Amino acid sequence: MRLFILSGLVGGLLMALCQWLVFVYAPLEQSMGVVQKIFYMHLPVAWWCFVSFFVACVTGALWLKTRRPRWDALSAAAVETGMVWATLALITGSIWARHSWGTWWTWDPRLTTMLVLWFIYAGYLALRSMPLPPDRRSSMCAVVAIVGFLDVPLVFLSARLWRSIHPAVFASEGGGMDSRMAVAAIASVLCFGLIWLALLGLRYRQMLLAARLDRLALAGGEDED
């Protein structure tokens, strides 16, 4: 628990440093100008949503193998955290697209596969809230978490597999990313990673405590009977 709190505190402090790196240290991109700065948020939330769904996939498989509640709780916490990041990735991507492409949305392969990913895990959350027997619900959710992760490589590789107008990097001068942009991007990814870990850990802890309260309430009810 202390690790997660420390991660959140350090991540919050580093966020201030990242703002300086993004708005002062990193140069303006030639074609997009200041709007390009949203890239330093878009990239981290996209990456960490993929990590969240990977964690959900692995822990879902562990639940199916061991039937230990902690794996089910961690899988659910990872999906919830990943959905926050995935939603932010779609929103920041749309803001960037409006300036770059002149439209809020286009059915580009990467955007489409990302939206499909969002709907898959939104279905997971809907399934999680259904009034089903706990073990059956957990097993069904684990299967969705595992199968849904198959879309993550498609999102990542879509720009190469199909004709996509979604760029891999932003160029400042010449063909590649400016080194100062790279520093700001890496720092942002690390900063958001610490915040991601804190959110994941706190949500996981909440789920364990909620399950414990449910067991205590059920035990109390049985005693009264």
Side-chain angles (χ1 to χ4, degrees):
M1 186 64 181
R2 292 180 180 178
L3 173 64
F4 301 131
I5 295 175
L6 179 62
S7 176
L9 291 174
V10 174
L13 292 174
L14 288 180
M15 184 66 74
L17 173 61
C18 284
Q19 300 310 301
W20 180 83
L21 290 173
V22 168
F23 291 102
V24 179
Y25 180 72
L28 286 178
E29 201 271 341
Q30 288 183 345
S31 60
M32 293 188 64
V34 72
V35 177
Q36 182 267 342
K37 301 293 185 180
I38 202 170
F39 165 74
Y40 302 106
M41 179 179 181
H42 178 69
L43 176 67
V45 295
W47 271 100
W48 288 107
C49 92
F50 297 153
V51 174
S52 287
F53 296 145
F54 173 74
V55 172
C57 173
V58 172
T59 51
L62 289 172
W63 154 258
L64 293 176
K65 181 179 180 179
T66 65
R67 300 289 171 168
R68 293 183 178 178
R70 64 180 182 181
W71 295 127
D72 176 53
L74 183 54
S75 183
V79 170
E80 290 187 11
T81 307
M83 281 297 288
V84 173
W85 293 143
T87 302
L88 290 174
L90 288 171
I91 292 173
T92 54
S94 295
I95 295 172
W96 170 81
R98 180 66 180 86
H99 186 276
S100 181
W101 302 334
T103 181
W104 293 102
W105 183 263
T106 181
W107 295 103
D108 175 81
R110 177 161 290 180
L111 275 65
T112 303
T113 51
M114 184 66 187
L115 184 62
V116 169
L117 185 69
W118 189 92
F119 275 114
I120 290 172
Y121 286 100
Y124 175 102
L125 296 180
L127 181 61
R128 193 88 195 173
S129 64
M130 293 181 64
L132 296 171
D135 283 354
R136 183 183 178 188
R137 181 182 59 199
S138 297
S139 297
M140 293 174 66
C141 287
V143 172
V144 173
I146 295 169
V147 175
F149 183 74
L150 296 176
D151 189 46
V152 171
L154 286 178
V155 177
F156 187 75
L157 298 174
S158 57
R160 298 180 181 179
L161 294 175
W162 299 287
R163 290 186 176 182
S164 174
I165 57 177
H166 191 289
V169 296
F170 289 91
S172 59
E173 297 178 1
M177 178 182 286
D178 184 279
S179 61
R180 290 168 294 175
M181 289 183 173
V183 169
I186 293 172
S188 296
V189 170
L190 294 176
C191 176
F192 275 87
L194 291 171
I195 296 174
W196 168 83
L197 180 61
L199 292 176
L200 175 65
L202 291 174
R203 184 58 183 140
Y204 172 59
R205 180 65 174 171
Q206 286 178 343
M207 288 190 166
L208 292 180
L209 291 175
R212 183 180 178 185
L213 288 174
D214 289 341
R215 290 193 299 268
L216 290 174
L218 182 60
E222 291 177 350
D223 291 340
E224 290 177 1
D225 293 339

